[in-house]
Amino acid sequence: GYDFVDDDTTPFDDCQGHGTHCAGIAVGTTFGVAPGATLHNLRMLGCDGVGSNDNLIAALEWVAAHPASPKVVSLSLGSSYSSSVNAAVAALVTANITVVAAAGNDASDACNFSPASAPESITVGATNIDDEAAYFSNYGACVNLLAPGEDILSAYIGPSSASKVLSGTSMACPHVTGVVAQLLEREPALSPAAIMSTLVARAAPDRISDPLNLNQNKPNLLVQAVEPLSPPPNPPAPPLPPRP
């Protein structure tokens, strides 16, 4: 990984907790959707949770250059609309790398934010435990799917057993990232377009209610996890020796 805040190769000093929580949802051994995936952590936000588009773009370029394959990028962050950020997302998808982005927590149109507005990203809104659209979740034509994002328990900074409950589309995004990792485990050559089609086809339609009526244009598609791969069957027992 890499730390684009301190400009060094030790991006493990999470002093804010947000990144650890999101990573735990996507690939953590205790809470993760895809615990078998390999995590490459890239730090772009400071201890105050604030960063720059320059750091984000540099991180996306780092991903493009990294030799790991296949890859999925999880972006639980956002800013106002940025054509530069959206272009960096498009470049990754052109390079056959799937990008998942949080829709944002402003209860407004996700198309006004980046990377949520990037047409090539899989942009994720949030739901609660009752399959209701979260009151804070952004919506609109730029949102592709919804996933659990309210009152989510995951890993946190501190001792190795630390955990915390957080809410946001930042928590919904890594749920989808984990499902993408599950799909790539089965079919590593899947393109971003094929992954998007598969997620939409597998999603549960018309499951989400909207008590606050904030999401008139939000797709009513709730992401569904992929069944775990079964281990190979045990080999047959050896034949009995012939009787004397």
Side-chain angles (χ1 to χ4, degrees):
Y2 197 85
D3 187 333
F4 293 91
V5 178
D6 297 331
D7 196 22
D8 60 39
T9 56
T10 55
F12 311 109
D13 50 346
D14 182 359
C15 48
Q16 209 265 345
H18 178 270
T20 297
H21 196 273
C22 294
I25 295 169
V27 300
T29 55
T30 301
F31 303 102
V33 177
T38 299
L39 174 69
H40 297 272
N41 46 322
L42 302 176
R43 182 172 178 243
M44 294 163 276
L45 306 179
C47 297
D48 56 358
V50 176
S52 70
N53 283 343
D54 287 344
N55 281 350
L56 171 55
I57 291 168
L60 296 179
E61 291 172 346
W62 186 98
V63 173
H66 195 277
S69 181
K71 293 179 273 194
V72 54
V73 177
S74 192
L75 298 177
S76 287
L77 43 73
S79 68
S80 57
Y81 180 89
S82 168
S83 59
S84 298
V85 168
N86 287 2
V89 170
L92 279 186
V93 174
T94 299
N96 207 39
I97 300 168
T98 299
V99 178
V100 185
N105 304 324
D106 301 279
S108 63
D109 191 343
C111 293
N112 294 325
F113 302 88
S114 290
S117 59
E120 298 81 5
S121 71
I122 300 171
T123 299
V124 186
T127 62
N128 64 23
I129 194 171
D130 297 317
D131 288 343
E132 297 171 340
Y135 68 91
F136 51 78
S137 183
N138 284 355
Y139 52 82
C142 290
V143 177
N144 301 108
L145 294 163
L146 286 90
E150 190 171 345
D151 297 331
I152 304 300
L153 178 66
S154 183
Y156 205 65
I157 53 176
S160 59
S161 60
S163 62
K164 189 171 184 176
V165 173
L166 294 177
S167 296
T169 57
S170 284
M171 287 68 245
C173 171
H175 278 97
V176 175
T177 302
V179 177
V180 173
Q182 290 179 324
L183 292 172
L184 289 172
E185 180 184 16
R186 287 158 175 73
E187 297 185 63
L190 280 177
S191 68
I195 287 172
M196 173 77 86
S197 298
T198 302
L199 290 173
V200 169
R202 291 180 54 85
D206 302 322
R207 182 77 60 82
I208 302 158
S209 62
D210 182 20
L212 299 181
N213 196 31
L214 292 176
N215 62 341
Q216 297 92 331
N217 299 316
K218 187 179 288 180
N220 200 316
L221 295 172
L222 184 62
V223 72
Q224 300 295 295
V226 179
E227 296 80 10
L229 288 174
S230 301
N234 293 325
L240 294 173
R243 301 181 67 178

